[in-house]
């Protein structure tokens, strides 16, 4: 199936014939997403400074509840280090909220990190609880299969607005879009500086926020065996999709709007899809909606595929991209990654596996439509790309926690939000907005004005604009070249060590190739629009 029809002015470098037939949604509940819900407002928060400031505003407006589901959490993080509240930490903020509004329920669920990952932190759970003080529930999630991690990053305020994306409240997450080489505000509690970091979050309201609230409450219940009351009308129940309410769009209108005043919505009155990854248990199959949506969108995109991600090791994603590169008229593919991971373990496992993947994709790029790039600061310091963003044509925008590796597709818990533009007059403005997000991200990484980059895209196409050294200096957005692979890296790559497909191969890497073969079968069924539930093709995951 080809991509959406649109006016020539939105064509961005490719001629696409008009398609009179209505488009079929890529978001299919039970296959490529969990649920689809409406949002009156959707915003994209670019980098940690924007997310931290917006979350602080929202938390201060809370009247009923604050729920945080995360991978990591440090209560010493300063949300606005450059402002008047520069000395206020997250712990200070939550304590102040609880003191002024004791009726507000505050629940934080964070992954119970095993050693050696936890060896890098100087705060233990009891230390965090002591900093937060009484009345604030802080729980570590230890109920997942051993080795799987709680990687969802969701903040919900009053069940009415919710943030989801790639960022945690950690002391090394704050940065501005300037990504200065040396920023005095980019400091750890020890006073040491940390590298520039790029991340993206999505903010939604309405029924989409209520759905994220449902997901967070389900995670809390699974981790603690306790159920949380809701600020949204109707009791929280369960159905085949998970938690549900009689009408998840209803909320207590007497409460003030917690939407941050400083945030302007990019989209209004849109449908948002929620896609999950949940690992298999002994009693059930894995949920792989994130993988299914990625593969379907890659196979259906007609003009552009834009990916920026922390990791890039998934063989199934690579195979889908290689198949598109083999097509004479396939889409342009742009991938933005960090030059290298920040720690030794990831450099051996994730960076090691991606070397071979990049080499294979470059070999498959017979028509010259692939760009794999790494952003740098003005003086050439690598920027850590931590975001998980995908944009397909100017049809789908996706932001979440899902990395492009095996474990994010089936072994860890993940949550992504995706909005899609189909037909109708309102779709024209939304397509423009989606294209502007993509062009704005590339211009940001290149250090050039977005308007100038967008003009070049209109005149000569996306890849020609990226290849223009006057717009995209090589020192700012460098081509990422796969380096030579030694014997250790080849071993890591062969068995995807540290990157399991699911429960069945988590501690048996010799089973990994067979597990990937089963995933190919299931992924092909979903991409072929077979009416199967994501994850249904791997019953052996529960063994």
């Amino acid at each position: 199936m080809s991509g959406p029809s649109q006016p020539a002015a939105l064509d961005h470098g490719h001629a696409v014939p008009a398609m009179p037939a209505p488009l079929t949604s890529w978001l299919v509940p039970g296959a490529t997403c969990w649920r689809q819900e409406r949002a009156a407002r959707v915003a994209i928060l670019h980098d940690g400074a924007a997310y931290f400031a917006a979350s602080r505003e929202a938390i201060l407006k809370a009247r009923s509840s604050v729920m945080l589901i995360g991978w990591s959490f440090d209560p010493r993080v300063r949300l606005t280090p450059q402002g008047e509240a520069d000395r206020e930490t997250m712990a200070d903020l939550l304590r102040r909220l609880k003191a002024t509004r004791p009726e507000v329920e505050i629940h934080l669920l964070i992954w119970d990190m095993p050693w050696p990952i936890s060896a890098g932190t100087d705060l233990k759970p009891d230390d965090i609880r002591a900093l937060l003080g009484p009345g604030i529930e802080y729980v570590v999630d230890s109920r997942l299969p051993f080795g799987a991690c709680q990687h969802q990053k969701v903040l919900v305020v009053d069940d009415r607005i919710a943030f989801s994306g790639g960022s945690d409240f950690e002391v090394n997450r704050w940065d501005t879009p300037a990504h200065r080489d040396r920023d005095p505000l980019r400091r750890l509690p020890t006073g040491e500086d940390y590298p520039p970091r790029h991340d993206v979050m999505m903010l939604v309201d309405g029924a989409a926020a209520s759905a994220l609230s449902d997901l967070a409450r389900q995670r809390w219940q699974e981790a603690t065996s306790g159920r949380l009351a809701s600020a949204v009308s109707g009791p929280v129940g369960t159905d085949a999709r998970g938690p549900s309410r009689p009408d998840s769009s209803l909320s207590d209108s007497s409460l003030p709007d917690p939407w941050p005043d400083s945030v302007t919505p990019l989209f209004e009155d849109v449908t948002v899809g929620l896609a999950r990854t949940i690992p298999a248990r002994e009693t059930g199959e894995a949920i792989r909606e994130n993988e299914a949506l990625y593969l379907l969108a890659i196979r259906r995109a007609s003009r552009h595929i834009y990916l920026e991600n922390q990791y890039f090791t998934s063989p199934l994603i690579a195979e889908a991209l290689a198949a598109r590169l083999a097509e004479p008229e396939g889409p342009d593919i742009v991938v933005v990654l960090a030059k290298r991971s920040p720690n030794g373990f990831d450099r051996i496992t994730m960076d090691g596996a991606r070397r071979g993947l990049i080499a294979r994709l470059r070999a498959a790029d017979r028509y010259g439509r692939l760009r794999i790039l790494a952003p740098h600061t003005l003086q050439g310091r690598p920027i850590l790309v931590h975001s998980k963003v995908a944009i397909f044509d100017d049809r789908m925008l996706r932001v979440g926690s899902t990395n492009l590796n095996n474990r994010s597709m089936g072994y860890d818990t993940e949550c992504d939000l995706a909005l899609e533009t189909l037909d109708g007059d309102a779709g024209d403005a939304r397509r423009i907005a989606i294209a502007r997000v993509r062009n704005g991200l590339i211009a940001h990484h290149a250090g050039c004005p977005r308007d100038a980059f967008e003009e070049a895209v209109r005149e000569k196409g996306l890849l020609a604009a990226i290849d223009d050294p006057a717009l995209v200096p090589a020192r700012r957005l460098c081509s990422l070249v796969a380096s030579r692979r030694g014997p250790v890296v080849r071993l890591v790559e062969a068995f995807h060590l540290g990157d399991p497909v699911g429960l069945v191969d988590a501690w048996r890497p010799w089973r990994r190739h067979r597990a990937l073969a089963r995933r190919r079968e299931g992924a092909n069924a979903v991409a072929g629009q077979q009416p199967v539930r994501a994850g249904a093709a791997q019953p052996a995951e529960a063994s």
Side-chain angles (χ1 to χ4, degrees):
M1 174 181 172
S2 60
S5 64
Q6 61 181 43
L10 303 179
D11 197 7
H12 307 303
H14 288 259
V16 180
M19 288 182 57
L23 300 176
T24 301
S25 176
W26 297 345
L27 293 167
V28 181
T32 61
C33 69
W34 175 42
R35 295 163 62 171
Q36 288 181 281
E37 303 288 357
R38 299 295 289 180
R41 296 168 291 186
V42 175
I44 304 299
L45 301 173
H46 192 160
D47 289 314
Y51 172 45
F52 282 11
S55 64
R56 180 178 180 271
E57 282 188 70
I59 289 171
L60 286 172
K61 290 185 173 187
R63 294 297 187 273
S64 174
S65 64
V66 174
M67 286 191 298
L68 174 65
I69 309 295
W71 180 80
S72 64
F73 175 78
D74 193 320
R76 300 170 299 181
V77 64
R78 296 183 300 162
L79 300 184
T80 54
Q82 80 283 28
E84 59 183 16
D86 59 346
R87 293 188 176 274
E88 184 177 57
T89 66
M90 174 64 96
D92 297 332
L93 176 67
L94 293 178
R95 286 199 309 268
R96 177 155 69 97
L97 173 64
K98 195 65 180 176
T100 56
R101 300 193 191 102
E103 70 278 8
V104 176
E105 296 186 352
I106 305 175
H107 296 88
L108 291 75
L109 179 68
I110 306 299
W111 182 41
D112 186 11
M113 289 186 182
W115 188 91
I117 299 176
S118 62
T121 180
D122 57 346
L123 288 182
K124 305 306 179 187
D126 285 344
D127 300 324
I128 294 174
R129 294 186 186 99
L131 287 171
L132 292 173
I136 298 174
E137 293 289 328
Y138 176 85
V139 173
V140 291
D141 185 353
S142 59
R143 298 288 184 90
L144 295 171
F146 185 69
C149 81
Q150 165 24 57
H151 199 243
Q152 295 165 340
K153 303 153 194 302
V154 177
L155 173 64
V156 185
V157 177
D158 288 352
D159 295 333
R160 301 181 69 191
I161 69 167
F163 304 81
S164 185
S167 186
D168 287 291
F169 290 101
E170 264 289 356
V171 292
N172 63 347
R173 301 304 202 253
W174 184 93
D175 199 6
T176 69
H179 300 308
R180 297 181 177 89
D181 285 88
R182 293 288 184 269
D183 191 328
L185 300 176
R186 215 170 51 223
R187 299 283 179 181
L188 299 173
T190 60
E192 302 172 271
D193 75 339
Y194 56 86
R197 173 184 290 257
H198 169 70
D199 223 324
V200 177
M201 297 290 289
M202 185 180 287
L203 171 60
V204 298
D205 69 356
S210 294
L212 282 169
S213 171
D214 289 346
L215 181 143
R217 292 173 191 280
Q218 183 183 41
R219 292 292 312 124
W220 183 272
Q221 182 174 346
E222 291 175 351
T224 68
S225 299
R227 302 187 71 180
L228 300 178
S230 171
V232 178
S233 299
V236 180
T238 58
D239 60 19
R241 304 182 305 173
S244 64
R245 297 188 177 93
D247 184 347
S248 61
S249 66
L250 297 176
S251 61
D252 186 351
S253 59
S254 65
L255 296 175
D257 181 10
W259 186 275
D261 295 334
S262 63
V263 175
T264 301
L266 182 62
F267 303 91
E268 295 182 346
D269 191 25
V270 294
T271 297
V272 178
L274 284 77
R276 304 166 299 169
T277 304
I278 299 178
R281 309 292 180 90
E282 288 74 7
T283 57
E285 300 168 353
I287 293 174
R288 297 178 177 269
E289 296 152 359
N290 280 310
E291 179 184 70
L293 183 57
Y294 259 117
L295 294 175
L296 182 65
I298 288 171
R299 293 174 185 184
R300 301 289 174 82
S302 63
R303 298 181 303 283
H304 308 121
I305 295 173
Y306 175 79
L307 307 170
E308 59 178 47
N309 208 276
Q310 181 181 6
Y311 300 129
F312 191 51
T313 66
S314 167
L316 298 188
I317 297 294
E319 290 167 9
L321 293 172
R324 303 310 312 273
L325 290 171
E327 299 173 14
E329 300 298 329
D332 299 334
I333 299 174
V334 179
V335 184
V336 176
L337 308 166
K339 181 179 180 180
R340 59 178 174 268
S341 293
N343 62 72
F345 180 79
D346 281 356
R347 288 176 189 171
I348 294 173
T349 56
M350 298 300 162
D351 293 4
R354 88 176 183 184
R355 288 185 179 98
L357 185 150
I358 291 173
R360 290 192 295 274
L361 283 177
R362 291 201 187 282
D365 184 26
R366 65 180 69 181
Y367 300 104
R369 296 198 313 270
L370 174 69
R371 303 292 185 274
I372 301 179
L373 307 166
H376 292 69
T377 64
L378 185 61
Q379 297 179 16
R381 188 178 187 185
I383 296 171
L384 176 58
V385 177
H386 193 262
S387 54
K388 301 90 170 61
V389 176
I391 303 174
F392 302 95
D393 297 332
D394 42 17
R395 169 173 176 167
M396 176 174 282
L397 167 63
R398 175 175 180 168
V399 176
S401 65
T402 303
N403 288 313
L404 296 178
N405 58 1
N406 287 331
R407 60 183 308 131
S408 275
M409 302 296 177
Y411 195 48
D412 296 338
T413 63
E414 307 286 3
C415 175
D416 283 20
L417 300 179
L419 58 89
E420 183 182 30
T421 293
L422 299 176
D423 296 325
D425 294 338
D428 291 342
R430 292 170 188 163
R431 282 194 291 271
I432 292 172
I434 291 174
R436 293 206 80 198
V437 172
R438 181 200 63 218
N439 294 335
L441 286 169
I442 298 173
H444 158 75
H445 294 309
C448 75
R450 183 174 67 177
D451 290 346
F453 184 79
E454 286 184 320
E455 180 64 25
V457 171
R458 284 191 292 270
E459 290 180 355
K460 54 189 178 182
L462 181 64
L463 294 188
I466 290 174
D467 294 340
D468 184 347
L471 287 171
V472 183
R475 70 179 185 277
R476 295 299 306 272
L477 198 52
C478 310
S479 180
L480 188 59
V481 179
S483 59
R484 295 184 60 184
R485 293 169 286 158
V488 173
V489 170
R490 290 183 182 275
L491 178 66
V492 168
E493 181 187 349
F495 291 98
H496 288 270
L497 299 182
D499 193 17
V501 177
L503 188 62
V504 70
D505 70 302
W507 302 101
R508 306 174 185 89
W510 56 90
R511 295 188 178 184
R512 202 143 293 161
H513 291 292
R514 188 166 56 181
L516 280 168
R518 285 198 299 272
R519 286 306 313 136
R520 281 187 193 91
E521 181 183 351
N524 288 334
V526 174
Q529 287 193 305
Q530 299 297 321
V532 298
R533 182 167 57 83
Q538 74 289 352
E541 288 289 332
S543 63

